[in-house]
Amino acid sequence: MSVTLLSLFVPTFFFVSITPGMCMTLALSLGMSIGVRRSLHMMWGELIGVGLVAAAAAAGVAALMLQFPEAFIFLKLGGGAYLGWLGLQMWQSKGKLVMQEPGAEVKHQGNLQLAFNGFITAIANPKGWAFFVTLLPPFLDQSQPLAPQLALLIAVILTLEFSCLLIYASGGKAMRHLLLNRSNVKLMNRIAGSLMIAVGIWLAVG
C-alpha cells in the first residue's frame, strides 16, 4: 500500500489508542492493582476483540467497495469528516479520566476472566466499531488489491494497541498521577485532536 497513507495511519491510530478510553483505563487500573504480568491476560483478550472488530469492519468495507467502486469517494469523504469530528470532540473534552479509587478493594479474577473482560471491553466499545468502519477506507489505495492492505492495517492496529496497553499497564502510579491531572489529559486530547483534524482534512481533499 501507499507509504504516504501508511505513514499517516500509524501516528493517527497511535494517538487514538494512547488517548484515555475504556480499554486503556482498564489496562491502567489492572496494571496498578494486579501488575503488568497478570494484566497480559486481559490484553490478549482485548486484542482478540479488537482484531475481530477490525476484521469485521474491513470485510464489510471491502465487500462494499468491490460491489460499488464508486462508493469509495463517499467513504473517503465520510472518513475524513468523522476524523475531523473526532478531533473536535477531543478538543472539547473536559479531561476527566474515570477509574478505580486508590485503596479500593480489588476482586480476584482468574486469567480467563481477565481475558474475557478485555474481550468484552473491546467489542462493546461503539467508538471502536465507528472508527474502523469509517476510517479504514480513506487509508486504502483503490488501485491496489484490498486484502493485503487491510491485513497490513489490522496488523499495525494490533501492534499499536498492544504497545499502548503495555504503556498504560506499566505506567503505575506515575501515569495515574499524570492522567488524574485534568490539564494533562486535556493537553493530550488537544494534541491528538489537532492531528485528527489535520489528517481528516488531508484525507477528504487529497
Side-chain angles (χ1 to χ4, degrees):
M1 65 178 299
S2 168
V3 176
T4 301
L5 289 177
L6 186 60
S7 64
L8 284 172
F9 181 80
V10 171
T12 299
F13 190 80
F14 175 78
F15 274 105
V16 169
S17 291
I18 202 67
T19 302
M22 292 172 59
C23 295
M24 297 305 146
T25 300
L26 178 60
L28 180 59
S29 299
L30 291 178
M32 289 186 296
S33 60
I34 64 176
V36 177
R37 181 175 297 182
R38 288 210 62 217
S39 298
L40 291 173
H41 294 287
M42 179 280 295
M43 293 180 198
W44 67 256
E46 195 266 353
L47 290 175
I48 290 175
V50 169
L52 288 176
V53 172
V61 167
L64 180 62
M65 289 176 63
L66 290 174
Q67 188 71 24
F68 305 102
E70 62 277 6
F72 176 77
I73 184 63
F74 297 102
L75 292 172
K76 181 179 179 180
L77 290 173
Y82 177 73
L83 199 55
W85 178 84
L86 189 62
L88 290 174
Q89 292 298 304
M90 296 179 76
W91 258 90
Q92 296 170 358
S93 170
K94 295 180 180 180
K96 183 178 181 182
L97 179 62
V98 180
M99 63 176 63
Q100 194 173 32
E101 291 298 322
E105 183 180 354
V106 178
K107 182 180 179 181
H108 176 75
Q109 297 180 357
N111 294 340
L112 289 179
Q113 182 62 47
L114 289 170
F116 182 73
N117 289 346
F119 177 79
I120 292 298
T121 301
I123 66 173
N125 185 358
K127 289 185 178 180
W129 286 93
F131 177 83
F132 291 127
V133 169
T134 57
L135 293 186
L136 283 178
F139 289 99
L140 298 174
D141 185 348
Q142 195 180 20
S143 65
Q144 301 295 327
L146 293 178
Q149 296 183 73
L150 291 170
L152 177 59
L153 290 181
I154 292 174
V156 170
I157 287 169
L158 293 179
T159 301
L160 293 175
E161 184 78 0
F162 180 61
S163 300
C164 293
L165 288 170
L166 280 178
I167 290 172
Y168 270 80
S170 303
K173 294 182 179 179
M175 182 171 282
R176 179 188 178 89
H177 177 73
L178 174 69
L179 294 178
L180 285 181
N181 185 317
R182 297 171 67 90
S183 61
N184 290 336
V185 179
K186 184 178 292 186
L187 176 61
M188 180 186 296
N189 284 335
R190 289 186 172 180
I191 292 174
S194 298
L195 176 67
M196 302 293 169
I197 294 171
V199 176
I201 293 173
W202 186 88
L203 289 173
V205 302

